[in-house]
Amino acid sequence: MRYVVIGTGVAGLAACEAIRSLDTAGEIIFLGDDPHGYYSRPGLAYYLTGEMDEKGLFPRSKNAWLSLNIRFIKGKVTRIYSGEHKVEVDSTSYLEYDRLLVAVGAKANRLDIPGAEFEGVVKLDHMEDARSILKLARWGKTAVVVGGGITALELVEGLRSRGVKVHYLLRSDRYWSNILDEQESKIIEQRLQEDGVKIHHHSELLEVLGKRGRVQSVRLLDGRTIRCDILAYAIGIRPRVELAREAGLAVDRGILANEYLQTSNPDIYAAGDVAQVYDPMSKRSIIDSLWGPAREQGFAAGLNMAGQKTAYIKAVPFNVTRLAGLTTTIIGTVGRGHDEDLIGIARGDSETWRALPDAIVAQTGFEVNRLRLLVGESKLLGAIVMGEQKLSFPLEKIISSNADISPIREKLLQPNAPIGDIIADFWTTWRTQYAS
Ligand SMILES: Cc1cc2nc3c(=O)[nH]c(=O)nc-3n(C[C@H](O)[C@H](O)[C@H](O)COP(=O)(O)OP(=O)(O)OC[C@H]3O[C@@H](n4cnc5c(N)ncnc54)[C@H](O)[C@@H]3O)c2cc1C
């Protein structure tokens, strides 16, 4: 049996591990076009700020790789011939497969304005992007950052920590408006401003101006220009569906896969950021752009490729991240609608977070520590925990287990209710029942 895994990200690696756990003899080919192979992509943010060196991005030891007994091939798959069970690599050679996994991730949306091709215009997608940002930050004095979600802030913070003056442009009136509420956006913006970041609301890029191919300034829609040496953008991502579409696989926003991660062709699987996976609980096909789900989907795909029948059951999306230096945990459904600063989904994002819940909001804390709960009829649908993280773990368990919160629902919804204390007390009793 020959398994070919396209994409050396976390979904691809998890699939290799799962296949090898069931099939010790089969040949596994791990094929990718990133010259650096497998590394932590969320770690790139910490690499930019200098909190992690390049070595730290590669967590796997040589022995761990050897024990997997896989063949690594550097190359870009340029076509999938599903009828002939083979893939074309770098438009020159062919590889046959019995089972194929497409785990090619998502790519950053390109800035589509005049001058976007100038040197000094950057995004944060992979290692080479991070390296070029660091190179530019060595001599660049001023940067303009545009976009939303976690990656735009990672760019802002990375550049600030390298001593670059940053202008952060937001099309809308506040940061990450489809996930955070007004108070939360305000907390983040205030912290950025305290760090010296100049935020421009209702500001949209019109064009990049440059000299000898290098960015010199940006012109905004309202006529203003801002001088800058770097323009960094994070305006959303798009699953890389082209290979699958050309191969005739069913594609929507991502490659459509059933709960076994199988595409419309039974010998081809899809997992991770590129996949739009059917969730039997909600009966919807959902895209996540999160490390955890990519890993879990990859693992389930690998087990199924090796002959098991294991359904991927989507866990409640959960992300612990850092926004303007503030640890923030996002669990379940918390946001609404659409964000003008992003096209499609952002990295470190989940479509479930924005699923318009039929819920009432309970909130507390107006300084750095803030807790917001989305309270449904008898269960919690989502939560955002900013700053103090004592309740993140209990809330993740309460939400993901669909715990019946009827006994505390009315208390949570009282004006000025101490919701943190109410949840902590509920957790103490509920966890004993849950554990037993
Ligand atoms: C800067 C940054 C910050 C992030 N922050 C967070 C966070 O805080 N929390 C979180 O949960 N997630 C975060 N993410 C998202 C997380 O990293 C992704 O969800 C995860 O890496 C997806 O894994 P994947 O294996 O599906 O895809 P990827 O990691 O994108 O891997 C896909 C691989 O396929 C390769 N490939 C593409 N096309 C081809 C081809 N034709 N032939 C061969 N190879 C190909 C690509 O080069 C790439 O190496 C972040 C990502 C980035 C970049």
Side-chain angles (χ1 to χ4, degrees):
M1 180 71 94
R2 180 191 267 181
Y3 307 90
V4 172
V5 173
I6 319 174
T8 54
V10 65
L13 172 64
C16 295
E17 289 172 344
I19 295 168
R20 192 51 85 221
S21 72
L22 294 181
D23 182 347
T24 50
E27 184 186 10
I28 304 176
I29 297 178
F30 195 27
L31 204 166
D33 65 354
D34 190 318
H36 303 284
Y38 171 77
Y39 53 91
S40 164
R41 292 158 71 87
L44 292 175
Y46 301 92
Y47 175 49
L48 278 191
T49 57
E51 292 162 273
M52 190 181 267
D53 61 11
E54 222 173 88
K55 247 174 77 189
L57 296 171
F58 296 86
R60 285 182 76 84
S61 67
K62 198 170 167 195
N63 280 345
W65 283 114
L66 286 175
S67 69
L68 266 182
N69 185 22
I70 54 180
R71 196 167 123 215
F72 179 71
I73 296 181
K74 191 173 114 25
K76 184 180 177 72
V77 171
T78 36
R79 207 171 177 116
I80 298 169
Y81 294 91
S82 54
E84 296 157 58
H85 278 65
K86 67 179 186 186
V87 296
E88 178 191 72
V89 184
D90 294 327
S91 308
T92 51
S93 56
Y94 297 91
L95 265 175
E96 289 183 357
Y97 64 81
D98 295 298
R99 302 270 186 284
L100 179 71
L101 175 68
V102 185
V104 293
K107 63 176 168 226
N109 288 323
R110 291 267 168 190
L111 202 56
D112 188 19
I113 54 169
E117 72 288 358
F118 283 145
E119 204 188 319
V121 180
V122 288
K123 58 181 174 55
L124 180 58
D125 214 359
H126 43 65
M127 176 78 91
E128 284 308 310
D129 289 336
R131 282 184 176 175
S132 58
I133 293 170
L134 289 179
K135 217 157 121 193
L136 288 165
R138 258 183 239 142
W139 62 269
K141 289 191 170 49
T142 307
V144 167
V145 176
V146 292
I150 297 172
T151 314
L153 274 206
E154 289 171 346
L155 287 164
V156 169
E157 293 177 74
L159 288 160
R160 275 305 296 139
S161 65
R162 303 283 164 171
V164 179
K165 184 174 174 199
V166 175
H167 294 267
Y168 181 27
L169 306 189
L170 287 168
R171 264 174 157 175
S172 54
D173 58 350
R174 62 186 180 88
Y175 169 69
W176 215 6
S177 56
N178 60 345
I179 301 289
L180 305 182
D181 71 5
E182 278 182 34
Q183 195 62 38
E184 289 151 1
S185 298
K186 205 188 253 171
I187 291 171
I188 301 303
E189 291 186 17
Q190 236 164 33
R191 291 173 70 88
L192 292 176
Q193 282 158 342
E194 281 162 15
D195 191 36
V197 177
K198 176 118 180 69
I199 301 176
H200 305 253
H201 294 110
H202 303 292
S203 297
E204 192 164 340
L205 275 186
L206 183 65
E207 61 179 329
V208 189
L209 305 170
K211 205 170 172 185
R212 283 189 227 103
R214 282 208 52 81
V215 56
Q216 279 203 318
S217 60
V218 293
R219 198 195 308 278
L220 312 189
L221 209 56
D222 60 14
R224 280 179 295 157
T225 57
I226 303 174
R227 277 199 63 79
C228 61
D229 315 295
I230 303 167
L231 168 61
Y233 65 93
I235 54 172
I237 57 170
R238 224 179 274 277
R240 289 190 180 95
V241 295
E242 297 79 6
L243 275 177
R245 186 172 279 136
E246 276 170 26
L249 304 182
V251 165
D252 180 25
R253 285 158 293 136
I255 304 175
L256 289 169
N258 64 17
E259 64 264 51
Y260 303 104
L261 287 312
Q262 211 165 23
T263 67
S264 53
N265 179 313
D267 290 329
I268 306 181
Y269 294 71
D273 283 7
V274 74
Q276 187 177 333
V277 182
Y278 181 71
D279 172 26
M281 306 301 276
S282 67
K283 301 193 170 30
R284 294 193 308 136
S285 291
I286 294 167
I287 295 184
D288 284 317
S289 171
L290 290 165
W291 183 266
R295 182 164 175 80
E296 286 156 22
Q297 288 171 17
F299 200 82
L303 294 177
N304 294 326
M305 288 164 78
Q308 235 179 42
K309 195 120 179 109
T310 302
Y312 163 72
I313 301 298
K314 193 176 156 50
V316 167
F318 174 76
N319 192 11
V320 186
T321 187
R322 209 177 56 177
L323 302 174
L326 194 61
T327 305
T328 302
T329 301
I330 308 174
I331 313 161
T333 315
V334 290
R336 283 187 177 264
H338 133 105
D339 182 343
E340 283 180 67
D341 290 296
L342 293 166
I343 305 164
I345 194 167
R347 285 207 194 276
D349 192 354
S350 166
E351 287 186 338
T352 307
W353 288 343
R354 288 170 273 121
L356 303 170
D358 189 10
I360 304 171
V361 174
Q363 56 192 328
T364 185
F366 291 94
E367 296 301 330
V368 165
N369 293 323
R370 181 170 162 81
L371 172 63
R372 174 159 60 100
L373 305 176
L374 277 288
V375 184
E377 280 296 307
S378 60
K379 56 185 186 172
L380 288 183
L381 302 176
I384 286 205
V385 187
M386 279 181 143
E388 170 59 57
Q389 293 296 308
K390 236 178 11 216
L391 290 177
S392 303
F393 178 74
L395 280 168
E396 198 260 328
K397 291 282 165 257
I398 290 168
I399 294 169
S400 61
S401 314
N402 285 321
D404 181 4
I405 55 134
S406 309
I408 56 165
R409 188 177 185 276
E410 288 313 311
K411 274 197 252 171
L412 285 175
L413 296 176
Q414 293 293 320
N416 303 319
I419 62 171
D421 296 340
I422 298 169
I423 291 292
D425 288 347
F426 177 73
W427 167 246
T428 311
T429 37
W430 180 79
R431 129 177 102 164
T432 23
Q433 296 159 8
Y434 174 70
S436 58

